[in-house]
Amino acid sequence: MTAHEGATVLVVEDEPSIADVLTIALRYHRFEVMTAGTVRQALAMAERTRPDAALLDVMLPDGDGRALGRELRVRQPDLAVVFLTARDAPTEIVGALSFGDDYITKPFNIDEVIARITAVLRRTRPADVLPERPPLRYGDLELDETTYSVHRAGRTVELTPTEYALLRFLVRNGGRIVPKEQLLRHVWQYEHPAESTVVETYISYLRRKLDALGAPVITTRRGVGYGLA
């Protein structure tokens, strides 16, 4: 059984034709699907049936999909959140990714949507219960591979599932510089990495959270990739 089989996806999209396409495709790929067209409907559905992932349109008739995603995440911290947006504005995407896991711009390829949802669930919903494993350590960083928690200099660092996956991959590579394309493949599960700002966005969020507790720990090799100092 894969990480996503039987997973429930809450699709929040006010355009019926788009909602129908997403629902049909997700069900074909063995997801359970709930649909809502408004913020109010989505909150009610999520209250009744806790979904594993939410696919949220940013612009909804009765509110902002980003605010909805934040509220859903407060209610259910382990919920995977992916945004659909027709606007590829950096400020909008960066704001959404401060607590979400991924974003997809419209018009989209339905295969890409399935791949992104599957990849996010692979990170947030492991298929099997993992045995206890020793923590990963790098300098004053400690990653608990059993509880998926992070500490720096003994202080807890609150990370989203994707931020954790990114930091874990950097820690596992020690002081080596990891190319951006490799991060897209291993963290975001992109089989054919294309131009994307998602890596830069998540690196900036990791830096903000980690640097608040000590000296800068993530280094950039311009035009190549990222590593740990």
Side-chain angles (χ1 to χ4, degrees), residues 81-152:
V81 177
V82 178
F83 292 99
L84 286 171
T85 175
R87 298 174 297 177
D88 198 11
T91 54
E92 176 182 281
I93 292 168
V94 167
L97 287 182
S98 64
F99 59 90
D101 296 295
D102 207 345
Y103 70 91
I104 301 166
T105 54
K106 298 178 182 178
F108 53 77
N109 178 297
I110 194 64
D111 291 333
E112 179 187 9
V113 174
I114 300 299
R116 297 283 192 93
I117 291 285
T118 301
V120 167
L121 283 171
R122 194 177 292 130
R123 300 194 295 272
T124 61
R125 186 178 184 262
D128 301 302
V129 176
L130 297 173
E132 274 199 38
R133 291 174 288 180
L136 293 175
R137 292 188 174 90
Y138 187 91
D140 60 358
L141 287 172
E142 181 177 295
L143 282 67
D144 189 315
E145 289 279 79
T146 303
T147 63
Y148 293 91
S149 59
V150 177
H151 293 84
R152 183 171 193 197

Side-chain angles (χ1 to χ4, degrees), residues 2 4-8 24-33:
T2 65
H4 84 261
E5 282 189 46
T8 299
I24 291 168
L26 286 164
R27 285 178 177 160
Y28 177 79
H29 287 274
R30 300 183 180 180
F31 291 95
E32 298 292 331
V33 183

Side-chain angles (χ1 to χ4, degrees), residues 179-194:
K180 176 181 173 180
E181 293 76 13
Q182 193 173 351
L183 290 171
L184 286 169
R185 285 194 181 93
H186 287 269
V187 178
W188 281 269
Q189 309 295 325
Y190 292 178
E191 292 185 8
H192 305 287

Side-chain angles (χ1 to χ4, degrees), residues 205-224:
Y205 278 107
L206 271 181
R207 279 189 168 129
R208 186 178 69 182
K209 293 179 178 181
L210 295 174
D211 293 359
L213 301 176
V217 67
I218 298 176
T219 62
T220 302
R221 181 72 59 82
R222 197 168 296 278
V224 180

